[in-house]
Amino acid sequence: MFNIKMDLCHLIRFTIAYNANIKISRNFSSVVLSNSLVGVKYDQKNTVLESVSEDLSEVTPYFPESFNIAAYVNKSETLQNLIKLNVNLSKIEKKPHIVNKLLKMDFEKDMKNNIFFIKDFVDSENIGNYITKNPLILCETIENFQVRINYLQSKKFSNLQIHEIIARNPFWLMFSTERIDKRLGYFQNKFSLNGNEVRLLATKQPKIITYSIQHINTNSFVVKEEMGFNDEEVKALLLNKPKIWMTSQKSLLERFNYLHNVIKIPHSSILHYPNVLLCRNFKVKQRHMFLQTLGRAQYNANKENYIPLKALIENTDSEFCKNYAKCNVDDFNLFLKTL
């Protein structure tokens, strides 16, 4: 009968040796490394379990690019202060290059003045969220900030408009005056806007000015060429609901096709209430189909029993049923189960 314990021991030893690319002598008394380390003996007495007299508490482990920033918090006053401001470090750690920059900065010397500058435009309770969205704003200089504010003032933006722009777009102050000037000029030329309209657009939706130009161009093509709005209507849509230009092309077309080609909503009605292009399609479908079963899907303002487009996307289901479907919400819920 063979010795199971001995064979198992040999098997484990052989596996370890094989994986480490080493040669094992027949009696297993010594191990010699192969290739470039031939002749170096392995001392079996030295193991990772041996006690060590040296203090290794200061040794920092290697963190790969996907490391957990929490490992640094206890020893980083900068990170501790950011946490006190309600900055969400778990979101920032997803971008290691930003974390590396922040870890090299001193809160008092490098960040404090930036935070005070931001505080002039953002409410104290929102500063943490603001920095979470754009932590690199802590790496900019106050001089650059001031130059960019001065630019807006030179373009006749009011203090209230500037406050609104900076507060609602954490990335605005990261753009140089040259880039912002080109962006504002782009919108002015492409949509035939005058100065007041450019200022209105930038204030109403500051994020669109720093948004992807390629995305803006794509959605402009969708709205004009695929949806069929003319230049004046495109301009009206932009000034009324600029968020349409920040919506995905696919979603935008799906919503328009259902409204215009299925429900037969004319361009004029969509132009009057463009919010309907920003609502998820399933909600519009559910409410429209339910109104159809009740014989109440009538969206022409010139006819009786008119249902406004806002009924398809606004308010709770209970309010929808009470004000427009004229039934109990339980009936609507039962209908949804049949879909």
Side-chain angles (χ1 to χ4, degrees):
M1 181 180 291
F2 57 90
N3 190 326
I4 297 177
K5 187 173 182 181
M6 180 63 70
D7 284 358
L8 182 60
C9 179
H10 287 187
L11 177 61
I12 293 173
R13 280 176 144 179
F14 178 77
T15 302
I16 294 173
Y18 179 80
N19 290 337
N21 192 24
I22 60 177
K23 296 178 180 179
I24 308 176
S25 61
R26 289 185 178 180
N27 59 8
F28 294 97
S29 61
S30 65
V31 181
V32 183
L33 297 178
S34 63
N35 299 331
S36 60
L37 296 181
V38 173
V40 179
K41 300 290 183 179
Y42 173 73
D43 187 354
Q44 291 180 322
K45 295 181 180 180
N46 292 331
T47 72
V48 293
L49 300 179
E50 276 194 71
S51 60
V52 180
S53 59
E54 302 168 63
D55 180 13
L56 301 178
S57 63
E58 296 300 318
V59 176
T60 304
Y62 165 72
F63 290 93
E65 286 199 342
S66 60
F67 61 76
N68 186 340
I69 199 173
Y72 292 100
V73 172
N74 288 338
K75 295 185 179 181
S76 173
E77 185 178 351
T78 295
L79 295 183
Q80 291 169 13
N81 284 322
L82 290 178
I83 291 174
K84 291 176 184 177
L85 290 171
N86 293 321
V87 175
N88 191 336
L89 297 181
S90 66
K91 290 186 177 180
I92 296 177
E93 74 177 2
K94 295 175 183 178
K95 300 176 181 179
H97 67 285
I98 295 179
V99 176
N100 288 333
K101 284 189 176 184
L102 296 182
L103 288 173
K104 294 175 183 177
M105 296 172 68
D106 180 86
F107 185 83
E108 291 291 330
K109 295 178 181 178
D110 306 319
M111 295 183 178
K112 198 170 183 179
N113 289 336
N114 290 38
I115 293 171
F116 277 121
F117 189 96
I118 296 169
K119 200 172 181 181
D120 290 338
F121 300 93
V122 182
D123 296 335
S124 298
E125 61 271 19
N126 293 324
I127 286 181
N129 185 48
Y130 194 89
I131 296 174
T132 299
K133 290 179 179 178
N134 179 26
L136 287 178
I137 200 167
L138 298 175
C139 305
E140 273 289 347
T141 66
I142 298 296
E143 290 74 18
N144 282 341
F145 289 161
Q146 195 57 58
V147 167
R148 290 157 193 175
I149 296 297
N150 292 342
Y151 166 81
L152 291 175
Q153 292 172 338
S154 73
K155 293 299 179 180
K156 298 182 180 179
F157 282 86
S158 68
N159 289 334
L160 185 60
Q161 288 175 323
I162 294 173
H163 186 282
E164 188 75 7
I165 288 170
I166 304 305
R168 294 182 58 199
N169 186 351
F171 296 93
W172 187 287
L173 288 174
M174 303 298 294
F175 280 66
S176 66
T177 55
E178 291 81 6
R179 290 184 70 191
I180 289 295
D181 190 66
K182 287 180 180 179
R183 292 299 184 97
L184 295 177
Y186 162 84
F187 282 97
Q188 184 169 28
N189 295 328
K190 186 170 183 64
F191 299 98
S192 301
L193 307 179
N194 60 38
N196 287 332
E197 289 169 339
V198 171
R199 285 185 282 272
L200 171 64
L201 176 64
T203 306
K204 190 168 188 176
Q205 184 50 268
K207 292 179 182 178
I208 197 173
I209 305 300
T210 59
Y211 211 69
S212 164
I213 292 297
Q214 182 180 354
H215 192 101
I216 300 297
N217 283 330
T218 298
N219 280 23
S220 293
F221 179 85
V222 169
V223 173
K224 184 177 180 180
E225 304 299 335
E226 299 191 58
M227 294 185 181
F229 289 97
N230 62 40
D231 289 338
E232 284 301 314
E233 291 170 336
V234 169
K235 177 178 176 178
L237 278 174
L238 176 72
L239 294 176
N240 190 359
K241 198 57 59 178
K243 195 173 180 180
I244 289 173
W245 271 257
M246 299 162 63
T247 305
S248 76
Q249 177 187 6
K250 182 180 177 181
S251 297
L252 199 54
L253 273 175
E254 284 180 352
R255 295 165 190 174
F256 175 80
N257 285 333
Y258 188 78
L259 289 164
H260 186 65
N261 299 320
V262 178
I263 307 180
K264 305 300 180 183
I265 304 297
H267 286 81
S268 57
S269 296
I270 296 175
L271 195 63
H272 181 71
Y273 189 71
N275 278 3
V276 74
L277 291 173
L278 299 177
C279 180
R280 292 181 178 179
N281 226 19
F282 80 89
K283 187 172 185 178
V284 174
K285 286 183 178 180
Q286 288 176 348
R287 292 191 176 186
H288 167 69
M289 292 172 69
F290 183 60
L291 289 173
Q292 267 189 321
T293 63
L294 301 175
R296 302 186 64 84
Q298 202 289 95
Y299 308 106
N300 189 332
N302 298 320
K303 296 181 180 180
E304 293 183 3
N305 300 319
Y306 165 63
I307 301 292
L309 281 182
K310 67 179 183 179
L312 299 177
I313 65 172
E314 291 184 0
N315 301 322
T316 63
D317 288 343
S318 295
E319 292 170 322
F320 162 72
C321 291
K322 178 181 178 181
N323 298 328
Y324 302 107
K326 306 299 181 182
C327 67
N328 192 287
V329 69
D330 292 336
D331 297 329
F332 181 57
N333 291 331
L334 286 174
F335 168 78
L336 294 180
K337 292 179 180 179
T338 67
L339 297 179

